[in-house]
């Protein structure tokens, strides 16, 4: 598979030999080049390299970070001060030196949902067959699953669990911050999109008329793709007739079995049991109660199958702080990976 990479930027102020660095790389992906919805094959990575990386020979564990698709893949560095946060954690011995990779995994409608799709591209392949091998080939990593972890927030938390459960040979530890899409909520999925808009859409932009319609169209493109049905390239699992919602039983069953993490647990239970560490959390006061309910149900489902994991309902809201000294990445995610990432090569 032919890949093209280019170094785009290294902040001048970070060039001192003992300083950490954030570098940007550009990848031309074959995995998403066949997208029907106009996904750009040019994908970008923001990579944190710890203090002393450019003067030493040490190999490092790697944490892959899936950002919320509501923002930008490099927001953690550009807006949230993640570099300084990581530097401080390493200096104070709260975690050993590590590399962190934040990747652009968005489609034109937002989240790719991290699966291979005939509509939007092969996002599972992009991560496992392109990004991870590239990082291992071009940076001083410890190239095995015990020294490779994955985390993310919101949809990125969903992606972290999904990559870990499908590819435990690639990612040995998983922390999902406030994951969505983990299971059935209080409301049915078909109650969220505007079906009048979807049923009469003449362009992809029509799906962007409201937030839920855009989010669920992206879900359908990931899990019910049809490359022969422009402009949305999906098989819609419901439609409106005379003001009544008609749900397609077979498509809804296919959607649930492909999309929900809780539906995938029986199939991937042994994979999840093989992880070195697995944790997810969610805020008690999320204004979308579906997220609370589904994550509470997921931890019970995991227990039913004897899957070791940690789960935490914390006192917070949808917008609870992720970054900063008091944020959950600093106080929960970093200690988690300190426990579970192997920091010395075999």
């Amino acid at each position: 598979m032919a890949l093209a990479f280019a170094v785009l930027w290294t902040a001048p102020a970070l060039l001192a030999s003992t300083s950490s660095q954030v570098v940007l790389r550009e990848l031309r992906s074959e995995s998403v080049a066949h997208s029907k919805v106009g996904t750009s094959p040019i994908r970008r990575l923001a990579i944190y390299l710890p203090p002393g990386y450019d003067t030493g020979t040490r190999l490092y564990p790697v944490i892959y970070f899936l950002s919320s698709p509501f923002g930008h893949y490099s927001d953690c560095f550009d807006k949230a001060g993640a570099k300084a946060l990581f530097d401080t954690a390493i200096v104070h011995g709260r975690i050993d030196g590590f590399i962190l990779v934040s990747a652009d995994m968005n489609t034109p409608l937002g989240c790719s949902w991290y699966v291979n799709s005939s509509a939007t591209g092969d996002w599972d392949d992009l991560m496992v067959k392109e990004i991870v091998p590239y990082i291992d080939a071009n940076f001083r990593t410890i190239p095995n699953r015990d020294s490779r972890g994955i985390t993310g927030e919101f949809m990125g938390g969903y992606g972290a669990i999904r990559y870990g459960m499908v590819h435990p040979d690639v990612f040995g530890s998983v922390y999902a911050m406030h994951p969505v899409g983990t299971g059935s909520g209080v409301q049915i999925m078909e109650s969220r999109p505007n079906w009048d808009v979807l049923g009469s859409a003449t362009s992809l932009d029509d799906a962007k008329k409201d937030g839920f319609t855009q989010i669920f169209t992206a879900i359908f493109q990931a899990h019910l793709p049809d490359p022969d049905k422009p402009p949305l390239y999906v098989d819609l699992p419901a439609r409106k007739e005379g003001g009544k919602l008609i749900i397609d039983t077979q498509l809804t069953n296919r959607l649930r079995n492909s999309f929900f993490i809780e539906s995938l647990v029986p199939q991937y239970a042994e994979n999840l049991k093989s992880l070195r560490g697995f944790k997810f959390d969610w805020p008690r006061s999320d204004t979308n109660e579906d997220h609370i309910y589904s994550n509470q149900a997921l931890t019970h489902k995991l227990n039913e199958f004897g899957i070791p994991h940690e789960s935490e309902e914390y006192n917070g809201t949808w917008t609870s702080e992720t970054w900063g000294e008091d944020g959950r990445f600093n106080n929960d995610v970093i200690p988690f990976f300190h426990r579970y990432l192997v920091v010395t090569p075999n």
Side-chain angles (χ1 to χ4, degrees):
M1 181 177 294
L3 299 177
F5 300 94
V7 179
L8 295 185
W9 170 76
T10 302
L14 303 178
L15 293 177
S17 63
T18 58
S19 296
S20 64
Q21 304 174 53
V22 176
V23 298
L24 300 186
R25 293 291 174 94
E26 188 177 85
L27 176 160
R28 189 186 191 286
S29 170
E30 297 298 330
S31 296
V32 301
H34 64 274
S35 166
K36 293 287 188 177
V37 299
T39 302
S40 171
I42 305 302
R43 314 313 298 176
R44 293 177 171 85
L45 313 173
I47 305 161
Y48 168 81
L49 303 175
Y53 178 88
D54 60 346
T55 59
T57 59
R58 177 184 167 187
L59 304 181
Y60 293 91
V62 183
I63 299 171
Y64 287 82
F65 173 65
L66 304 175
S67 63
S68 166
F70 299 124
H72 192 263
Y73 75 99
S74 64
D75 278 354
C76 61
F77 300 113
D78 298 337
K79 298 180 180 180
K83 175 186 171 295
L85 197 75
F86 300 161
D87 290 352
T88 300
I90 292 170
V91 168
H92 290 171
R94 298 180 56 244
I95 188 170
D96 293 289
F98 65 94
I99 294 170
L100 183 133
V101 179
S102 182
D104 175 9
M105 303 291 284
N106 278 3
T107 75
L109 286 186
C111 189
S112 63
W113 297 100
Y114 315 100
V115 298
N116 290 346
S117 164
S118 57
T120 65
D122 293 339
W123 300 89
D124 183 274
D125 288 350
L126 170 62
M127 175 60 77
V128 173
K129 296 182 179 181
E130 294 185 303
I131 294 176
V132 171
Y134 171 73
I135 294 297
D136 285 343
N138 289 274
F139 296 90
R140 296 199 312 275
T141 70
I142 305 173
N144 64 67
R145 75 132 203 178
D146 292 342
S147 300
R148 195 183 292 124
I150 189 164
T151 185
E153 58 180 339
F154 307 142
M155 286 85 156
Y158 171 94
I161 296 175
R162 187 163 191 119
Y163 280 129
M165 73 192 308
V166 176
H167 300 288
D169 56 323
V170 178
F171 302 103
S173 51
V174 174
Y175 193 122
M177 294 182 288
H178 195 173
V180 299
T182 53
S184 297
V186 176
Q187 301 186 56
I188 64 171
M189 283 192 293
E190 284 83 352
S191 69
R192 294 299 195 179
N194 185 324
W195 293 101
D196 292 326
V197 168
L198 292 182
S200 60
T202 58
S203 73
L204 199 62
D205 287 339
D206 288 339
K208 300 177 182 179
K209 290 182 177 179
D210 69 84
F212 275 126
T213 300
Q214 180 171 340
I215 290 170
F216 277 84
T217 303
I219 292 173
F220 302 151
Q221 287 177 342
H223 297 279
L224 294 175
D226 190 328
D228 299 320
K229 286 187 177 180
L232 301 181
Y233 297 98
V234 299
D235 288 321
L236 292 174
R239 66 187 187 279
K240 278 285 191 70
E241 287 186 4
K244 183 179 180 180
L245 184 64
I246 307 298
I247 295 174
D248 186 303
T249 301
Q250 291 186 343
L251 287 176
T252 298
N253 185 55
R254 179 176 144 203
L255 174 63
R256 289 180 56 87
N257 288 337
S258 174
F259 174 52
F260 284 142
I261 296 294
E262 63 93 9
S263 296
L264 298 170
V265 166
Q267 179 181 354
Y268 293 105
E270 297 307 313
N271 286 1
L272 288 167
K273 289 178 182 179
S274 74
L275 294 174
R276 293 177 56 82
F278 175 25
K279 181 176 179 178
F280 62 102
D281 61 35
W282 64 94
R284 182 173 301 117
S285 300
D286 188 337
T287 53
N288 187 338
E289 61 184 354
D290 289 358
H291 301 155
I292 303 170
Y293 180 89
S294 60
N295 280 312
Q296 290 173 340
L298 178 59
T299 190
H300 290 294
K301 184 70 168 282
L302 295 169
N303 285 336
E304 287 179 353
F305 283 82
I307 297 168
H309 70 286
E310 304 169 62
S311 62
E312 179 183 355
E313 182 175 290
Y314 60 89
N315 189 27
T317 66
W318 170 264
T319 57
S320 292
E321 191 68 38
T322 298
W323 301 100
E325 185 177 347
D326 296 326
R328 296 193 64 76
F329 204 104
N330 190 42
N331 293 322
D332 295 272
V333 177
I334 283 177
F336 171 85
F337 284 116
H338 181 57
R339 291 197 304 273
Y340 292 111
L341 285 181
V342 173
V343 299
T344 56
N346 291 332

